[in-house]
Amino acid sequence: MKLPTHDAAAREIPESHSHRVVLPRRAPLAPLRQVARRLLMALLVLVATVAIVWIDRDEYHDNANGSVDFLDCVYYATVTLSTTGYGDIVPYGDGARLLNILLITPLRVLFLIILVGTTLEVLTERTREQWQLNRWRNALRDHTVIVGFGTKGRSAAQTLRATGLTRDRIVIVDPSPKVIDSAVAEGFAGVIGDATRSDVLVRAEIQRARQVVIATQRDDTAVLVSLTARQLNKKANIVAAVREEENAPLLRQSGADMVITSASAAGRLLGLSVHSPSAGTVLEDLIQQGSGLDLIERPVVKAEVGKSVRETDDLIVSVLRGHRLLGYDDPAASPLQPADRVITIVRAVPPEEPDGTARSSAKPMIPGTGVSPMAPVRRDDQ
């Protein structure tokens, strides 16, 4: 049986539930529990009022027969709390009137607050959400938009988090409300909708994004998203994943700066692991940011200018000079120039503790990278 694809779910969402931005927040109580709790509070207020009137029933007068029984107490409490007040049962004693002033009136106010509390809470909640949404949009700049939060999108978000990007700088776009709820539970802002539509990407503020990660399940969807994203943002760095390698050139023509063929990449890693398991382990460690060794791209620091590739503290594997990518063994790669960028292997910085302190041992940091250099290899003097 063929299951519906992840992207096809966008066509099954009602229009009223699509194009919605969801920000991280505390999970509210279930609606039925909220209603039940309010009804219970209103019932307790009513019971308390009946008890007060019943205790002081001798100082109340019923215009019908003069005496006040238990049913009359319930009747009086009901019409009093609802502010109906027919006047057929009235307190005529000083004690009863004092109790009405000190107890019955506050209970009446409390009862009304409970009854209208749901409406007020809804209005307050909507106002708060709208205020938060406007504040979020005004503050969102140079963020990352991830289209699709499946296995690839979730892994991309984890890698970005490991490189130092905070959750509030990542926006998830997905057609499934359940997927967005999962993303919001992890602390990300989410937009429900089909990312091939420009109005959905606009709600993710893609026009002000620095980079876009396209991790959809279908290659044709990735092409449409890339076209739409490039039309809305000419300067953003767009990285996309495709399943079939033959679709990679089409995706590049659609505006993607970098295209990753997920099936081929996984196949190459499988083949490398079969031929050389240790090499596969090292490669897996390099692409998993935040632990062991990390493969990063960074600018050349001032102390490295004029040095050869082999004279730096880090293990440089490539040098990016302009639009040319030079290998470490290319004679043109040395000496390093101020405008160069280098791809290096560095020791990952340990993650921060819950109290905000890092576990690293006061190692020097490479400026602008958030990583510490690898220790230079000591060479014995010949």
Side-chain angles (χ1 to χ4, degrees):
M1 181 180 66
K2 185 178 180 180
L3 297 176
T5 63
H6 175 76
D7 302 290
R11 297 188 290 270
E12 302 175 2
I13 302 175
E15 187 68 23
S16 59
H17 291 80
S18 61
H19 311 76
R20 185 162 55 93
V21 179
V22 184
L23 299 180
R25 61 177 181 177
R26 292 183 178 179
L29 295 176
L32 291 179
R33 293 186 61 183
Q34 294 186 32
V35 173
R37 186 177 64 178
R38 293 183 182 278
L39 289 177
L40 179 60
M41 293 172 61
L43 182 60
L44 292 176
V45 172
L46 179 61
V47 171
T49 306
V50 173
I52 293 173
V53 176
W54 173 256
I55 293 173
D56 203 29
R57 61 186 180 279
D58 294 336
E59 297 192 12
Y60 285 82
H61 178 74
D62 187 356
N63 294 332
N65 53 18
S67 62
V68 176
D69 55 15
F70 181 76
L71 181 60
D72 292 333
C73 293
V74 176
Y75 168 76
Y76 175 78
T78 303
V79 298
T80 300
L81 292 180
S82 62
T83 68
T84 304
Y86 293 112
D88 47 354
I89 299 178
V90 294
Y92 67 90
D94 294 338
R97 293 180 178 180
L98 184 61
L99 288 177
N100 268 263
I101 295 173
L102 298 179
L103 295 178
I104 302 298
T105 299
L107 288 174
R108 180 190 300 119
V109 174
L110 179 61
F111 188 81
L112 292 177
I113 291 177
I114 293 174
L115 290 181
V116 301
T118 302
T119 303
L120 293 176
E121 184 176 357
V122 170
L123 293 176
T124 304
E125 182 69 15
R126 290 182 179 179
T127 303
R128 186 182 66 85
E129 288 182 354
Q130 188 62 40
W131 177 80
Q132 285 186 338
L133 185 58
N134 293 335
R135 181 183 177 186
W136 171 76
R137 284 175 172 168
N138 293 332
L140 201 59
R141 296 287 191 283
D142 296 331
H143 58 288
T144 299
V145 176
I146 299 180
V147 179
F149 202 60
T151 302
K152 292 180 290 186
R154 191 181 300 272
S155 299
Q158 292 173 352
T159 301
L160 290 171
R161 289 279 297 117
T163 58
L165 193 64
T166 57
R167 287 187 175 90
D168 59 348
R169 312 309 299 174
I170 299 176
V171 180
I172 308 298
V173 180
D174 198 280
S176 172
K178 293 182 179 180
V179 172
I180 292 299
D181 290 341
S182 175
V184 170
E186 296 182 22
F188 302 108
V191 177
I192 303 174
D194 184 1
T196 60
R197 302 179 58 174
S198 59
D199 52 346
V200 174
L201 293 181
V202 168
R203 288 180 179 269
E205 301 296 327
I206 197 172
Q207 64 275 15
R208 296 186 294 191
R210 174 176 294 180
Q211 47 203 10
V212 180
V213 177
I214 302 175
T216 57
Q217 298 295 326
R218 293 171 54 98
D219 291 356
D220 54 351
T221 304
V223 172
L224 291 175
V225 173
S226 180
L227 283 169
T228 307
R230 182 55 70 196
Q231 182 182 16
L232 295 174
N233 192 327
K234 304 296 184 182
K235 299 180 180 180
N237 179 36
I238 300 179
V239 180
V242 293
R243 298 176 63 88
E244 303 297 334
E245 194 167 0
E246 62 183 8
N247 294 328
L250 181 60
L251 198 55
R252 291 189 182 93
Q253 294 177 7
S254 302
D257 299 290
M258 177 66 66
V259 179
I260 306 299
T261 307
S262 57
S264 298
R268 294 188 186 99
L269 184 58
L270 286 173
L272 178 63
S273 299
V274 170
H275 181 266
S276 179
S278 298
T281 302
V282 172
L283 185 58
E284 179 80 11
D285 181 31
L286 288 176
I287 63 177
Q288 185 176 358
Q289 296 288 319
S291 62
L293 299 177
D294 284 349
L295 187 66
I296 68 165
E297 176 183 339
R298 63 171 177 83
V300 173
V301 297
K302 186 176 181 180
E304 296 173 335
V305 175
K307 293 184 178 180
S308 68
V309 170
R310 300 181 184 274
E311 292 175 344
T312 59
D313 291 340
D314 285 348
L315 179 59
I316 296 179
V317 294
S318 296
V319 177
L320 180 62
R321 182 168 297 157
H323 297 286
R324 298 175 58 197
L325 189 61
L326 307 174
Y328 72 96
D329 56 346
D330 192 325
S334 299
L336 295 174
Q337 300 178 9
D340 289 346
R341 296 183 66 85
V342 292
I343 291 85
T344 68
I345 298 177
V346 299
R347 177 67 59 185
V349 177
E352 292 186 350
E353 297 286 359
D355 59 358
T357 60
R359 294 199 300 260
S360 57
S361 56
K363 293 182 179 180
M365 307 294 288
I366 299 174
T369 63
V371 297
S372 61
M374 296 180 64
V377 179
R378 293 186 178 180
R379 298 179 175 86
D380 295 333
D381 295 334
Q382 300 295 333

